[in-house]
Amino acid sequence: MTMTTAGVIFVLTLVAALVAVYKPFGDYMFRAVSGTRQSRVERGIYRLVGVNPAAEQTWGVYARSVLAFSGISILFLYLFQRVQNHLWLSLGFDAVVPHGAWNTAVSFVTNTNWQSYSGESTMGHLVQMAGLAVQNFVSAAVGIAVAVALLRGFARSRTGQLGNFWVDLTRITLRILLPIAVLGAIALMIGGVVQNLSAGTDVTTLTGGTQTITGGPVASQEVIKELGTNGGGFYNVNSAHPFENPTTWTNWIEIFLIFVIPFSMPRVFGRMVGQNRQGYAIAAVMAILAFASVVITNVFELAGHGTVPQAVGAAMEGKEVRFDVSNSATFAAATTLTSTGAVNSFHDSFTSLGGMMTMFNMMLGEVAPGGTGSGLYGLLILAVITVFVAGLMVGRTPEYLGKKIGSREIKFASLYFLITPILVLVGTAAAFATGNNSTALNVGPHGLSEVLYAFTSASNNNGSAFGGITVNTTWWDTALGLCMLLGRFLPIIFVLALAGSLARQAPTPASEGTLPTHRPLFIGMVVGVTVILVALTFLPALALGPLAEGL
C-alpha cells in the first residue's frame, strides 16, 4: 500500500466516523445543555458555590461570570506554578519564573495552550494534573457555554435571559467532557500511552549509555488536550512523542477526538432553533472548508516542494516515521483548523506551502470546525455577516433565523471579526519594530513566517508554533499572553452582546424575500465570505512570508 493510498483510507474512515456520531452525539449534547433535571453531584456543586440553578442571566451578567471565572483561574494557575517547588510531586523542579507562569496561566485558561517551556522538565505532576489538566476541561467548557448562550439568543424572543453560566459550565464538564475523557484515556492507555506517577526510569541504551525515561499522568491529560481542542502536551514534542501518541491508530483516535465536539455542535444548533436543516447547513460549511484544507495540505506535503524534498523523494524533515507524511499533514490540518494546536510533526519543517496552509487555517478564524464552542459561534458570526451582505445585494433588511440583522447586530459581528487580524498584524509589526523578531535559525521570508505564525497562533487561541523562533523571553511571554487574553475574551463579549440583542427581538416571519439559509446557495456564500475576508486581510503578510519562500 502506498503512502497516498494509506492517507486516503485514513481520512475517509475519519470522515465516516464523524458522520456516524453527528446525530447521536449532537442530540446527547443538546439534552445535556437544555435539560432541566439536576443530578445530585450538580446540586451539591451549586450549593457549594452559592448558585441558584433556576436563575437565568442577561448577556451582561453571563459575560461578567465568564470573565470572573477566567480571571480567578488565571490567578490560581499563576500562583500554583510559582509555588510548585513546595508542592507534592514537584519532582524537584524549581518554581516557574514570573513571565513564564503568567504566559502559561493565560495560555491554558484561554484554551490556547501555547507552551514556551519543556513540560517534562518544567512542570511537576501535581501542577500538570491539578492545574493544567483542570483548565483543559473548564476552558473547553467555557467555549461551549458561550456557544450555547448564542444559540439561545437565536432561539428565544422578547427576553434578555441567556441561561446561567455556572449551570452550563457544570453540566458541560460533568456530562460531556468528563465521561468521554475517561473512556478516551482508557483507549489511549490500551494503545500504549503512559499513565503513572513516576519521576522517571533509568535505562541502558543500545550504545551502553544511560537515559532517563520520564513518566507521568500522560493519558489523562492527552485525551482532554485533544477532546477540548486545547493542545498543550505533557512532553516538549507533544503528540510526536511515543508516550503521547504511540501508533497510527492512536493518531487516528486523537484526530477523531479533536473533531468530534466541534463537528457535532451544529446538530445542537439545529435542535435549539428547531430546524435541523440549519445545523446541516453549518456543518456543510465546516466540512467543505475542512476537507479542502486537509486535501490541499496533503497535496503540498506529498509533492515535497523544495530542492531537498525533491532530491530525496519525500518531505520527511520534522516528521515521525511511524506517521509518515500524509498522517502528519492530516494531523497538522486538524489541529490548526481547530483551536487545538497539538502537533505530531513540526510545522516549521513543513514545505513552504504546506506550512502556509497551517497558518491559513488559523487565519480563517478556526471555524472549520474550530474549537469546542468557539468554532460554532465564530462560524455563526460569519453567517450573520453573509446574510448582511446578501441583504445589501437585494436592498432589504437582512434576516437570519427570524431575527433582523440591524446596525447593532452587524457592529457586534464586525468587531468580532476585526479583533484577531488587529492583534496578529499589530503584534507582528511590534516584534519587528522592537527588535524582538530574531530567530534561532532563520531569516528572510521564513523568519517573517515564524513571527507571523506565533502571533496568529496566540491571537486565535491555537497554541502551535513554528519552532525555530525563541519565545521564552519576557517580551514574548508578555506580548503573546496579551494577544491570548484579548483574542479570547473580547470576541466572547461581542458574541454574548449579539446573543442578548437577538434574544430581545420579536420573531420576524419569513417572506418571499427572505434568504433561505439552509440551501446550497447560502452554504456557498458563507464559504466564499469566509475565504475572501481572510484573503483580503492576510494576503499581503502571506505574500511576504510563505508565498515568497515557496516561489
Side-chain angles (χ1 to χ4, degrees), residues 70-338:
S70 301
I72 292 172
S73 296
I74 291 172
L75 179 61
F76 170 79
L77 191 52
Y78 174 84
L79 294 174
F80 208 22
Q81 295 173 82
R82 294 290 293 140
V83 301
Q84 83 155 348
N85 55 314
H86 301 296
L87 300 176
W88 180 58
L89 292 176
S90 68
L91 307 183
F93 295 147
D94 293 332
V96 181
V97 296
H99 60 85
W102 142 263
N103 184 275
T104 303
V106 169
S107 175
F108 277 77
V109 172
T110 59
N111 201 242
T112 309
N113 298 64
W114 172 276
Q115 294 174 288
S116 60
Y117 61 89
S118 174
E120 67 267 41
S121 60
T122 306
M123 301 293 181
H125 290 342
L126 188 63
V127 172
Q128 293 267 26
M129 292 186 296
L132 306 186
V134 167
Q135 288 305 317
N136 284 348
F137 279 96
V138 294
S139 66
V142 166
I144 299 174
V146 172
V148 169
L150 177 60
L151 301 188
R152 293 186 183 117
F154 280 111
R156 296 178 176 183
S157 300
R158 301 187 181 93
T159 180
Q161 308 300 310
L162 295 177
N164 187 308
F165 168 73
W166 306 104
V167 172
D168 291 339
L169 179 72
T170 303
R171 286 181 172 182
I172 291 164
T173 302
L174 296 182
R175 300 185 184 186
I176 299 174
L177 298 176
L178 192 58
I180 302 175
V182 171
L183 296 176
I186 294 172
L188 290 179
M189 283 189 286
I190 293 172
V193 179
V194 171
Q195 181 73 15
N196 57 47
L197 295 178
S198 171
T201 303
D202 292 334
V203 298
T204 302
T205 66
L206 293 175
T207 59
T210 301
Q211 181 179 354
T212 300
I213 305 298
T214 306
V218 181
S220 56
Q221 186 163 325
E222 185 74 12
V223 64
I224 189 58
K225 145 190 159 182
E226 313 294 13
L227 179 65
T229 62
N230 296 281
F234 190 93
Y235 295 100
N236 185 42
V237 295
N238 209 278
S239 291
H241 198 291
F243 286 0
E244 287 196 28
N245 192 7
T247 65
T248 300
W249 74 265
T250 59
N251 194 56
W252 188 96
I253 288 176
E254 291 190 12
I255 298 176
F256 176 79
L257 289 170
I258 290 169
F259 277 146
V260 67
I261 291 179
F263 262 128
S264 298
M265 283 297 294
R267 177 69 179 183
V268 182
F269 169 54
R271 290 292 304 273
M272 291 193 75
V273 299
Q275 300 182 53
N276 286 330
R277 60 188 183 180
Q278 298 291 344
Y280 288 126
I282 294 299
V285 175
M286 290 178 172
I288 290 169
L289 291 170
F291 190 75
S293 173
V294 170
V295 170
I296 294 171
T297 305
N298 269 277
V299 167
F300 284 152
E301 288 304 296
L302 289 168
H305 176 73
T307 304
V308 174
Q310 289 289 332
V312 301
M316 280 300 296
E317 180 187 350
K319 297 181 177 71
E320 280 291 310
V321 292
R322 67 184 188 277
F323 299 138
D324 66 50
V325 172
S326 183
N327 285 355
S328 299
T330 300
F331 196 99
T335 61
T336 51
L337 284 165
T338 61

Side-chain angles (χ1 to χ4, degrees), residues 55-63 65 160-166:
E56 295 206 356
Q57 299 172 323
T58 63
W59 81 263
V61 177
Y62 203 103
S65 299
Q161 308 300 310
L162 295 177
N164 187 308
F165 168 73
W166 306 104

